[in-house]
Amino acid sequence: GSPARQRWKSWAPAVAALALVLLIIWWPWPGGKKMVVHFIDVGQGDSILVQTPGGKNMLIDTGGRREEFQTGTGTGDQVVAPYLRKIGVNRLDALVLTHPHEDHCGGAAYLVDNFPVDLAVVSPAGGGGVPALIDQPAGGVANGTKKTGEEVPPAYTALLKKMSAGEVLVQAAGAGDILRLDPELSIEVLWPEEDWSIGGAEFNNASLVLRLTYGHSSFIFTGDIELEAQQKMFLSGEELESDVFKLPHHGSRSLLPELVDKVNPSIAVITVGAHNTFGHPAPSTVDLLYQEGATIYRTDQDGAVIMETDGNKIEVKTGKKSS
């Protein structure tokens, strides 16, 4: 054949190989790795399961009903555990407790007894530095929380002690920490800063705030941070922009418009109990989200809210049809 054709022949395998590589990189084949985020409907409280692309399970908060710390029964055994088992989750690679309030960690005692947990990540508020906590007399725990105005629930202290006495690694986290759970996923802790005691509702303001990024999809989970912490986080210069915004404090009216602006979410999730007595979510908060152009999901109306992303687009399913 002609020289040109000879040359083409030797190129052909390379071009084919290149085409194949491009296909592998760009073709979103079925069964491609997905990240799934479940906002579990625990009534008035938070419990969010993140299933990473590499198959790890991280639970952020466990819900909790009034008195669940004392009785050990409620959301943990009746809602969260059955939900996890139903979707085939039998162990937790990481359990994140954003702050020591019952509606966020009341269910943890049951879960820790019934599911193997590798790592617990906790707020520095409430005696998060566990090794010190174990050697202190019970009265010393409050002193360990830096001029705290809020009483640490004894059941929370007992839970941390029990975990660290068992096989669970317990670590307090703060701004700048990175949780290396899955190499395909970035999990950054954005809050609280080192000197987290800023007054206001102390434990709420010391909530862990996490930002997850998988490919082009990002999620921000803000615990119960109030205006003081929102303001400081907004001014921190951290990257906050996220596709999905888990609203602080069940959509209470303590929401900084500048924070919403900076997060600039396309989807907002409000974890809230039906007919709760706190007036959550506040109409002003819902209006603010509508003005930002965010699609709003609420666990009181939608049931569980389940988001699946391949790192490009996010698909949302809900447990019940909105009325």
Side-chain angles (χ1 to χ4, degrees):
S2 70
R5 186 176 294 160
Q6 284 302 130
R7 213 170 320 136
W8 166 243
K9 265 192 174 147
S10 63
W11 272 91
V15 171
L18 187 66
L20 187 67
V21 169
L22 285 175
L23 194 66
I24 289 171
I25 293 172
W26 293 112
W27 204 261
W29 67 95
K33 290 184 178 173
K34 299 263 173 82
M35 177 169 89
V36 188
V37 179
H38 305 253
F39 296 85
I40 303 170
D41 177 12
V42 291
Q44 185 71 6
D46 275 26
S47 187
I48 301 154
L49 175 72
V50 177
Q51 297 187 283
T52 78
K56 296 282 175 66
N57 291 295
M58 172 170 75
L59 187 68
I60 304 171
D61 289 332
T62 64
R65 295 190 190 139
R66 201 177 291 264
E67 304 298 313
E68 187 160 347
F69 271 152
Q70 280 71 38
T71 62
T73 180
T75 306
D77 58 332
Q78 292 165 34
V79 182
V80 181
Y83 188 98
L84 295 177
R85 291 200 178 103
K86 187 179 78 189
I87 61 173
V89 174
N90 298 309
R91 60 170 304 117
L92 295 172
D93 299 282
L95 170 63
V96 177
L97 301 176
T98 59
H99 63 295
H101 282 159
E102 199 158 33
D103 60 329
H104 290 254
C105 58
Y110 177 86
L111 294 172
V112 166
D113 278 347
N114 290 276
F115 290 75
V117 177
D118 288 343
L119 167 70
V121 180
V122 300
S123 165
V130 172
L133 198 156
I134 291 172
D135 307 326
Q136 288 178 340
V141 171
N143 309 337
T145 66
K146 291 197 215 163
K147 49 188 187 300
T148 180
E150 251 185 292
E151 188 93 0
V152 183
Y156 179 79
T157 307
L159 172 71
L160 297 194
K161 281 186 176 177
K162 181 179 185 173
M163 287 194 293
S164 44
E167 296 298 291
V168 187
L169 177 64
V170 181
Q171 287 192 321
D177 287 341
I178 288 175
L179 190 52
R180 300 190 193 285
L181 192 62
D182 183 328
E184 301 197 41
L185 183 63
S186 149
I187 306 173
E188 305 159 274
V189 181
L190 304 182
W191 185 262
E193 284 174 347
E194 199 119 327
D195 185 21
W196 51 266
S197 191
I198 51 175
E202 184 128 18
F203 287 171
N204 281 355
N205 271 334
S207 290
L208 295 178
V209 174
L210 304 184
R211 185 168 178 271
L212 265 62
T213 312
Y214 174 43
H216 300 293
S217 301
S218 48
F219 292 70
I220 190 166
F221 304 101
T222 56
D224 274 358
I225 56 171
E226 306 275 0
L227 288 170
E228 297 89 348
Q230 292 173 35
Q231 182 81 40
K232 288 197 83 165
M233 197 171 77
F234 167 71
L235 295 171
S236 69
E238 291 277 8
E239 172 61 63
L240 301 177
E241 192 162 329
S242 302
D243 301 301
V244 179
F245 181 22
K246 196 293 292 184
L247 259 81
H249 205 197
H250 321 293
S252 87
R253 66 169 185 270
S254 299
L255 181 63
L256 190 68
E258 295 89 330
L259 180 70
V260 183
D261 224 27
K262 200 166 179 185
V263 173
N264 189 21
S266 49
I267 299 171
V269 182
I270 301 174
T271 47
V272 64
H275 317 300
N276 67 81
T277 52
F278 305 101
H280 297 160
S284 58
T285 290
V286 174
D287 286 349
L288 185 58
L289 294 168
Y290 276 130
Q291 283 160 22
E292 284 287 331
T295 304
I296 302 173
Y297 292 93
R298 300 167 44 163
T299 52
D300 61 338
Q301 295 179 351
D302 297 305
V305 181
I306 301 149
M307 301 189 187
E308 198 170 274
T309 176
D310 57 2
N312 284 311
K313 65 174 197 296
I314 298 172
E315 291 174 7
V316 185
K317 297 192 281 255
T318 61
K320 56 185 182 215
K321 298 277 176 277
S322 260
S323 50

